[in-house]
Amino acid sequence: MGERPLFPAGGASVNGALIMPNQGLAPAPMPMRSLLRRSCRALLAALALSAVTGPALAHPHVWVTTRAEVVYGSDGRVAGLRHRWTFDEGYSSYLTQGLDKNGDGKLTPDELAGLAKENTESLADFEYFTQLKINGARQAFEPPREPAMEMESGKAVLSFFLPVKGTAPLVRTAALEVYDPTFFVSFTLAEGDDAVRLANAPKGCATTVTRPKPPAAPQDQKLSESFFDALTSASNFGGQYANRAIVACP
């Protein structure tokens, strides 16, 4: 049986609390989009059983705090992105069940290595939740490299390097967004000016981060779970909540 997928078919977290209709072992991993949709249905069933109503149905169901590094090669072109994603505590608890192989009560990067590899690879189904445009042209990505996971203060932290496919153009402007178009997962940039950093960038390049306004509370709660379940990447509902980093070079 494979490692537990990042977005499980058997449950989800709501406001950081784990809701699992079935406490058995998670089934073998399946494509990311199917996992997200099945999680929505499982969540609804659990909420109905516990008589939770109204606002609790609103998306998102998983919260991720992100950091990113734009990595330049020796030729002055963007070589790729280094992501670092911290999952909410309730979701992290589910994700890492049964992975403490030596039973010492501590999860090490070695014990989490298989989970990191398998789930980083599965992110291809959602284009890694990442959009990078250089001089206005969207860039494609090679398969991720250097997957790793560790625990920090009870939260699972996934990191990986996402190489740009082919040779990227020299940057005049670059725009980076990390978000889920279906808004099942909420991606939020970490606080501080170093949430998006440049590595080996040409002299004079600078980054500006734009953060969206917090969503109006009534808006999402008026939308049913079936509305969100029907969303696809093309719907781009989550784009309105995307954080954006703009890189400008002379």
Side-chain angles (χ1 to χ4, degrees):
M1 181 177 295
E3 301 287 351
R4 185 174 289 108
L6 284 175
F7 301 97
S13 99
V14 178
N15 294 331
L18 185 65
I19 295 180
M20 288 294 296
N22 184 348
Q23 292 295 333
L25 290 176
M30 62 182 67
M32 181 72 68
R33 194 176 305 277
S34 297
L35 287 168
L36 291 170
R37 289 177 175 172
R38 285 192 59 184
S39 292
C40 285
R41 291 193 290 270
L43 178 68
L44 280 174
L47 290 174
L49 288 172
S50 59
V52 178
T53 61
L57 293 179
H59 270 44
H61 299 309
V62 180
W63 288 263
V64 180
T65 302
T66 71
R67 293 183 179 274
E69 190 174 58
V70 182
V71 180
Y72 286 76
S74 58
D75 59 357
R77 302 172 189 269
V78 174
L81 306 170
R82 192 172 301 280
H83 281 307
R84 183 177 176 85
W85 296 353
T86 302
F87 291 86
D88 69 79
E89 191 168 354
Y91 194 74
S92 297
S93 178
Y94 170 75
L95 187 64
T96 57
Q97 286 181 37
L99 297 183
D100 183 10
K101 297 176 182 178
N102 60 9
D104 65 353
K106 299 178 182 179
L107 287 166
T108 66
D110 285 344
E111 289 172 322
L112 297 171
L115 179 67
K117 180 179 184 298
E118 185 165 342
N119 287 287
T120 299
E121 292 171 352
S122 75
L123 289 171
D125 291 339
F126 259 95
E127 298 180 318
Y128 309 100
F129 297 111
T130 301
Q131 184 176 120
L132 175 66
K133 291 184 178 180
I134 297 179
N135 305 334
R138 185 167 180 173
Q139 303 299 300
F141 298 106
E142 299 282 359
R145 304 173 188 167
E146 304 168 28
M149 186 176 284
E150 60 184 329
M151 299 298 294
E152 289 187 357
S153 302
K155 297 180 180 180
V157 181
L158 174 70
S159 60
F160 59 96
F161 180 70
L162 192 56
V164 171
K165 188 173 184 178
T167 301
L170 289 170
V171 174
R172 297 191 303 276
T173 60
L176 170 64
E177 294 180 328
V178 180
Y179 68 97
D180 175 11
T182 69
F183 202 47
F184 187 94
V185 184
S186 172
F187 288 92
T188 303
L189 274 175
E191 296 295 329
D193 296 334
D194 62 345
V196 178
R197 301 169 55 186
L198 303 181
N200 304 318
K203 185 177 180 180
C205 293
T207 305
T208 303
V209 172
T210 303
R211 302 175 188 273
K213 294 180 180 179
Q219 177 182 356
D220 298 334
Q221 294 170 5
K222 292 179 181 178
L223 301 175
S224 68
E225 198 68 24
S226 60
F227 167 83
F228 287 104
D229 197 28
L231 291 178
T232 66
S233 297
S235 305
N236 204 34
F237 180 87
Q240 62 188 303
Y241 305 120
N243 295 269
R244 174 178 291 185
I246 302 295
V247 179
C249 294

